[in-house]
Amino acid sequence: MTRQDSIHKDWLAFIIGLFAYVQVRILGTFAVGELVLFAITPFIAFKKFWHDTRARHFVYMGLVWLAGVMFADIWNRTPLVDHLKGVFNVVFLIALVPAVYWLLHDRPRRLLYYYGGAALSMLFNFYVQRSYDVVYEFEVWRVYAFYPLAIFAAGFLYYKGRHLLSYAVVMAFGVWSLYNMSRNIFLTQSIAVAILFYMDLVAKRHGMVRAKVKKRVSGVIFFLLVALFFVDYTYESLASSGALGTRAAQKYWVQKRSDRGLASGRGDAFVSLYLIGKNPIVGYGSYAKDKDKVAHRYIAKHSVWKPKYKADNLLPGHSYILGAWVYAGILGFAFFAYILVLLWRAFYTGVLFSDLKLMGLNIYLLMMLLWNILFSPFAHRINFVFFIMAVMILWRRYDRQEAAIKLS
């Protein structure tokens, strides 16, 4: 590939990012960026993607999830419109893989271009399209509107070698999120900074971070414990004193006195787990409604009712992994369990640290994605596929580097 071709792909990645959150509704919600990727798919070379064993496995596991969706919908006699929405959600996720892989395979750092565009796209979505749920606080949704911009800025600064400034940006954003009724960003990005700070120390001492997070487990655990202590102490001090505002203080004390502690703020997770326990194999079907009042009775009994469930009577799909399990049964769970194992192995073996300039963005995005898999309803297929494909491409390069080292 010529330098000019590479520059064209850089701009293409940025343009796709610019439309990553610009949404249109055609049997569900699509990002315009997805439509661009679908449009270029017939004109790309598929061999790069198909020769990557891990990328193929991703597609195979996507098909497993799709089989779960179809079986659950047939078993539960899901209405046709809901069935098509559930099926095409997975089909389109799989269909994104070839074009995204082609876009990144020669230069995984192109992920920065994509995410720069996506950061601007999210702001457009929030302030112009206003697609956020008005039931929840404006402040919380504003935090998530600026979250991609903060991640991109911190990742770009890290890429440019300004590591301390990168940490300052993402931590400042995390503290700001606390003042706007959102806590998970402060938690996840504090952990990201702790990991990166430790790996920076390793890199300075050894010249480069090779695969061997598994040989430095004690150091990683120590810095994680320090980060968790810092997060807990900071949040409790600010919330209990009222520094974060009256609502945040009330929320803190209610959860503090609850039997479930801070986990009581994730009551919908307990509803999802209850539903899974009642039907762990088949699931309830795409966009399943609470026809038998199973969730309603649990919510009423345990006082975990959430206003968002009143409007459409949907069974709560609390997170990527629990939502897939609730709607598509055990096969939906299998897909995201596979993703979690893949990400753990990429972290543990050091694949995510193999590109020293990109590892800042990698770890910031990793922590964001892990939170979403465990605690957020599935959304933004395009972001998900871009990051997972970038990890797989880095992994393939890493394997080649390791093989070359063994031969030398």
Side-chain angles (χ1 to χ4, degrees):
M1 175 177 290
T2 67
R3 177 175 174 78
Q4 191 66 29
D5 289 338
S6 180
I7 292 173
H8 288 161
K9 289 179 75 173
D10 292 345
W11 278 104
L12 180 57
F14 176 72
I15 291 169
I16 290 170
L18 277 178
F19 292 98
Y21 292 96
V22 179
Q23 297 178 341
V24 294
R25 294 188 179 275
I26 311 171
L27 192 63
T29 302
F30 287 84
V32 174
E34 290 179 311
L35 300 179
V36 175
L37 286 165
F38 295 149
I40 67 175
T41 297
F43 306 101
I44 65 171
F46 279 71
K47 63 180 181 179
K48 292 290 184 183
F49 142 69
W50 199 246
H51 288 172
D52 189 319
T53 303
R54 293 184 184 88
R56 288 204 312 274
H57 287 171
F58 177 89
V59 171
Y60 296 152
M61 290 305 299
L63 292 173
V64 168
W65 182 14
L66 179 61
V69 171
M70 298 183 73
F71 185 74
D73 287 355
I74 292 170
W75 184 269
N76 291 283
R77 298 181 180 179
T78 299
L80 179 61
V81 172
D82 289 340
H83 169 65
L84 292 176
K85 288 164 64 177
V87 165
F88 283 120
N89 180 49
V90 183
V91 168
F92 291 143
L93 180 140
I94 297 170
L96 289 170
V97 171
V100 173
Y101 193 95
W102 168 82
L103 197 60
L104 298 177
H105 79 88
D106 59 303
R107 194 182 181 205
R109 293 178 180 182
R110 201 167 280 129
L111 186 65
L112 269 169
Y113 286 86
Y114 166 77
Y115 226 79
L120 298 177
S121 183
M122 185 60 168
L123 294 175
F124 174 85
N125 174 271
F126 181 75
Y127 284 107
V128 179
Q129 289 198 308
R130 297 180 181 273
S131 62
Y132 54 88
D133 191 337
V134 296
V135 173
Y136 294 98
E137 297 94 337
F138 171 83
E139 293 89 345
V140 174
W141 289 103
R142 183 177 59 185
V143 166
Y144 288 111
F146 281 91
Y147 195 13
L149 181 61
I151 293 297
F152 167 72
F156 181 75
L157 287 168
Y158 195 97
Y159 179 85
K160 290 294 186 181
R162 307 295 297 275
H163 295 188
L164 293 180
L165 188 55
S166 172
Y167 304 153
V169 166
V170 79
M171 289 307 300
F173 184 80
V175 171
W176 179 70
S177 73
L178 287 178
Y179 283 89
N180 288 273
M181 298 297 291
S182 180
R183 299 169 299 186
N184 73 80
I185 296 171
F186 183 62
L187 168 64
T188 55
Q189 297 308 325
S190 293
I191 293 172
V193 168
I195 292 170
L196 286 168
F197 184 77
Y198 173 67
M199 297 309 287
D200 278 349
L201 296 178
V202 173
K204 287 178 181 178
R205 182 175 180 180
H206 298 282
M208 63 186 302
V209 180
R210 292 297 302 155
K212 316 312 181 195
V213 173
K214 58 186 177 184
K215 293 186 177 180
R216 302 185 175 94
V217 172
S218 59
V220 173
I221 291 175
F222 173 77
F223 274 82
L224 286 179
L225 291 175
V226 170
L228 291 173
F229 174 80
F230 167 75
V231 168
D232 181 66
Y233 178 80
T234 301
Y235 172 68
E236 289 209 11
S237 298
L238 292 173
S240 61
S241 68
L244 300 179
T246 303
R247 285 187 303 163
Q250 291 173 343
K251 184 176 181 179
Y252 168 77
W253 286 114
V254 166
Q255 294 178 354
K256 185 75 172 178
R257 292 162 182 157
S258 168
D259 293 338
R260 293 169 176 167
L262 294 180
S264 62
R266 293 284 163 180
D268 40 6
F270 294 101
V271 181
S272 294
L273 289 170
Y274 175 75
L275 292 169
I276 290 166
K278 300 284 287 185
N279 185 4
I281 304 301
V282 178
Y284 297 85
S286 301
Y287 299 91
K289 309 299 190 296
D290 193 17
K291 294 177 292 187
D292 299 323
K293 303 296 183 183
V294 177
H296 179 84
R297 288 193 295 270
Y298 181 88
I299 289 168
K301 180 179 179 180
H302 296 278
S303 301
V304 293
W305 184 269
K306 292 293 185 86
K308 61 182 176 181
Y309 303 140
K310 293 181 181 179
D312 50 24
N313 204 32
L314 280 175
L315 292 179
H318 163 259
S319 63
Y320 286 19
I321 191 166
L322 294 185
W325 202 347
V326 167
Y327 299 134
I330 194 69
L331 298 182
F333 165 80
F335 175 79
F336 286 105
Y338 152 76
I339 293 296
L340 287 175
V341 171
L342 182 144
L343 292 174
W344 164 248
R345 289 185 59 217
F347 175 83
Y348 188 64
T349 60
V351 169
L352 293 174
F353 305 101
S354 60
D355 185 326
L356 290 181
K357 298 187 75 171
L358 198 60
M359 75 178 188
L361 183 66
N362 284 341
I363 300 304
Y364 296 140
L365 290 177
L366 172 69
M367 296 311 303
M368 176 193 284
L369 179 57
L370 288 177
W371 180 269
N372 288 339
I373 290 174
L374 297 174
F375 299 111
S376 297
F378 186 70
H380 309 308
R381 290 178 297 253
I382 189 169
N383 281 352
F384 179 75
V385 174
F386 258 94
F387 181 63
I388 296 299
M389 289 302 107
V391 170
M392 291 181 173
I393 291 164
L394 287 171
W395 209 329
R396 192 175 189 188
R397 292 186 169 200
Y398 174 81
D399 286 343
R400 289 173 177 172
Q401 292 168 0
E402 287 292 290
I405 291 173
K406 289 179 181 178
L407 289 174
S408 61

